[in-house]
């Protein structure tokens, strides 16, 4: 594969949702005609990775290329994190918290606070027990139990009082030590941190401007990119108010009309400038009815391939889950994509319907379609995939052909995962 150029490339792909990091620097190459299965535990980042490839999720940082075209590239959030880290370092130094003795005292204070929390919890449990004993005072041995509980409550209260004094003393020591450290700060260190912050602020500002520009361009070109990647979701996402044929032809017709409209504008300008060839092309541009008719012909041919031609005029609500998913696959194929992305295509289906959907995907695989499939069907991944990626905790832990990955896994986490699903 190294001799060929990848059709999809990701480098250091990162995706965060607020403070939760879902993808942690994914590097992947997907080549033409490959069938790449993506496996891993739930919540590991598999679907997020797939959605980033189609820009349904805008990555936080990294790079995605389709062939020679870079569709996403940004290091803004990485630069922003560096700036935040430098500011935190300066705050820590100026406050005295970076001092070794302060760190030791703070560690002791944390431990004491943890003990205080445990004692409070114990005291609360003892008081609850004492209250229950009062309600069952007639029970044999209740008085003895109540006296013992009362003694324990007093002992815990005393321990808690002593601990509070210790914590108060520890806080005073921390405060005093911080004041001592602050009074003898090395101003050259502060100046050095200020210089680093200033330089990083400039880099971050430049990166932010580039990021904003890229996002603006992305919003203009995102539809063109999505025409080259077909996406099949877990839950079909068909329009219930449209018939099957209308679901399939909606995107091709709209894309065809937009493309024709843009081309007509270009040709009109050229014809106005005296280009005779442009005048001829202008006359031969397809009309709306022709675009619709071509889209419907293609839709019927695709429906015939999956054995659902007779369902063209029905609504999705009358179909089974397996039929809906096959229609969703046809809808994606109707755009003639270069790559098909499948996001757990059988997870919402009854077991008996899984086979009919997997059969359609196998047919596409046999025809040479480039595919990336997030799946929990290990047998299907082993049979159809040319390569399998194992993702866990937002990282690719293993990348190998199915025979090697399933037969001789090297990663310990993968071994554990396979032992539970095979």
């Amino acid at each position: 594969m190294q001799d060929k150029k990848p059709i999809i490339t990701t480098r250091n792909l990162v995706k965060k949702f607020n403070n939760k990091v879902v993808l942690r620097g994914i590097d992947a190459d997907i080549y033409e005609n490959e069938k790449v299965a993506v496996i891993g535990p739930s919540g590991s980042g598999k679907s997020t990775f797939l959605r980033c490839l189609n820009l349904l999720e805008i990555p936080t940082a990294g790079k995605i290329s389709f062939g020679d075209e870079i569709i996403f590239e940004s290091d803004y959030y990485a630069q922003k994190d560096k700036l935040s880290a430098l500011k935190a370092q300066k705050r820590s130094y100026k406050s005295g918290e970076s001092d070794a003795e302060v760190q030791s005292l703070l560690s002791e204070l944390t431990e004491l606070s943890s003990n205080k929390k445990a004692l409070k919890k114990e005291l609360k449990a003892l008081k609850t027990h004492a209250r229950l004993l009062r309600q069952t005072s007639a029970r044999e041995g209740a008085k003895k139990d109540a006296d013992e509980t009362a003694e324990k409550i007093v002992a815990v209260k005393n321990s808690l009082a002593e601990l509070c004094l210790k914590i108060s003393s520890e806080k005073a020591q921390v405060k005093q030590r911080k004041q001592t450290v602050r009074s003898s700060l090395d101003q050259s260190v502060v100046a050095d941190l200020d210089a680093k912050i200033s330089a990083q602020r400039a880099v971050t500002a430049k990166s932010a401007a580039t990021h904003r520009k890229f996002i603006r361009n992305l919003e203009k070109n995102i539809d063109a990119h999505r025409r080259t990647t077909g996406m099949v979701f877990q839950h079909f996402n068909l329009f219930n108010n449209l018939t099957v044929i209308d679901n399939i032809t909606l995107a091709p017709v709209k894309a065809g009309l937009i493309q024709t409209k843009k081309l007509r504008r270009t040709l009109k300008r050229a014809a106005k400038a005296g280009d005779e060839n442009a005048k001829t092309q202008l006359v031969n541009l397809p009309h709306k009815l022709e675009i619709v008719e071509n889209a419907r012909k293609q839709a019927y041919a695709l429906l015939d391939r999956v054995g659902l031609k007779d369902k063209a005029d029905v609504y999705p609500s009358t179909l089974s889950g397996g039929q809906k998913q096959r229609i969703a696959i046809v809808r994606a194929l109707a755009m003639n994509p270069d790559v098909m992305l499948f996001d757990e295509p059988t997870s919402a289906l009854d077991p008996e319907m899984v086979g009919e959907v997997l059969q359609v995907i196998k047919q596409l695989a046999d025809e040479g379609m480039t595919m990336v499939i997030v799946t929990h069907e290990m047998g299907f991944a082993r049979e159809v995939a040319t390569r399998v990626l194992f993702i866990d905790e937002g990282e690719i832990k293993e990348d190998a052909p199915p025979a090697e990955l399933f037969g001789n896994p090297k990663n310990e986490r993968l071994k554990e995962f396979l032992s539970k699903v095979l």
Side-chain angles (χ1 to χ4, degrees), residues 106-116:
L106 286 172
S107 178
E108 290 173 18
L109 187 59
T110 300
E111 188 178 345
L112 289 172
S113 297
S114 178
N115 292 341
K116 179 182 176 183

Side-chain angles (χ1 to χ4, degrees), residues 59-122:
T60 302
K63 180 179 178 180
I64 305 175
S65 302
F66 269 67
D68 294 325
E69 182 189 3
I70 298 172
I71 65 164
F72 179 84
E73 185 174 26
S74 176
D75 67 344
Y76 165 58
Y77 289 98
Q79 299 299 344
K80 190 178 176 184
D81 287 345
K82 286 182 183 177
L83 181 60
S84 297
L86 284 169
K87 287 180 177 179
Q89 188 180 344
K90 180 184 173 182
R91 281 196 304 272
S92 177
Y93 183 74
K94 289 193 74 175
S95 67
E97 286 182 6
S98 60
D99 177 68
E101 189 175 333
V102 171
Q103 288 288 323
S104 176
L105 288 168
L106 286 172
S107 178
E108 290 173 18
L109 187 59
T110 300
E111 188 178 345
L112 289 172
S113 297
S114 178
N115 292 341
K116 179 182 176 183
K117 190 176 180 181
L119 282 174
K120 280 188 170 182
K121 189 175 180 181
E122 184 183 352

Side-chain angles (χ1 to χ4, degrees), residues 45 58 102 120 138 141 184 313 315 372 419:
I58 303 300
V102 171
K120 280 188 170 182
S184 58
D313 296 316
Y315 288 88
V372 184
S419 70

Side-chain angles (χ1 to χ4, degrees), residues 4-162:
K4 295 168 66 178
K5 193 166 186 178
I7 192 170
I8 303 174
T9 302
T10 70
R11 289 292 177 268
N12 196 30
L13 192 65
V14 176
K15 178 61 183 177
K16 293 181 182 178
F17 292 99
N18 297 322
N19 292 324
K20 184 179 180 182
V21 183
V22 179
L23 299 180
R24 301 172 184 273
I26 298 280
D27 290 344
D29 292 316
I30 294 159
Y31 297 85
E32 191 173 358
N33 301 329
E34 264 200 313
K35 291 83 188 167
V36 178
V38 183
I39 65 170
S42 296
S44 59
K46 306 183 301 296
S47 293
T48 301
F49 169 60
L50 202 70
R51 291 170 70 85
C52 282
L53 294 183
N54 204 25
L55 297 179
L56 288 171
E57 293 290 353
I58 303 300
T60 302
K63 180 179 178 180
I64 305 175
S65 302
F66 269 67
D68 294 325
E69 182 189 3
I70 298 172
I71 65 164
F72 179 84
E73 185 174 26
S74 176
D75 67 344
Y76 165 58
Y77 289 98
Q79 299 299 344
K80 190 178 176 184
D81 287 345
K82 286 182 183 177
L83 181 60
S84 297
L86 284 169
K87 287 180 177 179
Q89 188 180 344
K90 180 184 173 182
R91 281 196 304 272
S92 177
Y93 183 74
K94 289 193 74 175
S95 67
E97 286 182 6
S98 60
D99 177 68
E101 189 175 333
V102 171
Q103 288 288 323
S104 176
L105 288 168
L106 286 172
S107 178
E108 290 173 18
L109 187 59
T110 300
E111 188 178 345
L112 289 172
S113 297
S114 178
N115 292 341
K116 179 182 176 183
K117 190 176 180 181
L119 282 174
K120 280 188 170 182
K121 189 175 180 181
E122 184 183 352
L123 182 61
K124 185 179 179 181
L126 286 169
K127 285 182 176 179
T128 301
H129 185 59
R131 188 172 65 253
L132 291 172
L133 286 172
R134 285 196 295 273
Q135 293 172 359
T136 57
S137 55
R139 180 176 64 82
E140 185 179 347
K143 187 177 185 308
K144 182 183 177 185
D145 197 354
D147 290 343
E148 289 175 353
T149 303
E151 287 176 9
K152 288 178 183 177
I153 288 173
V154 171
V156 171
K157 281 183 175 179
N158 289 337
S159 297
L160 198 56
E162 288 175 15

Side-chain angles (χ1 to χ4, degrees), residues 231-242:
M231 184 88 179
V232 179
F233 302 89
Q234 297 178 39
H235 299 289
F236 328 130
N237 290 7
L238 297 173
F239 297 108
N240 287 320
N241 61 320
L242 299 179

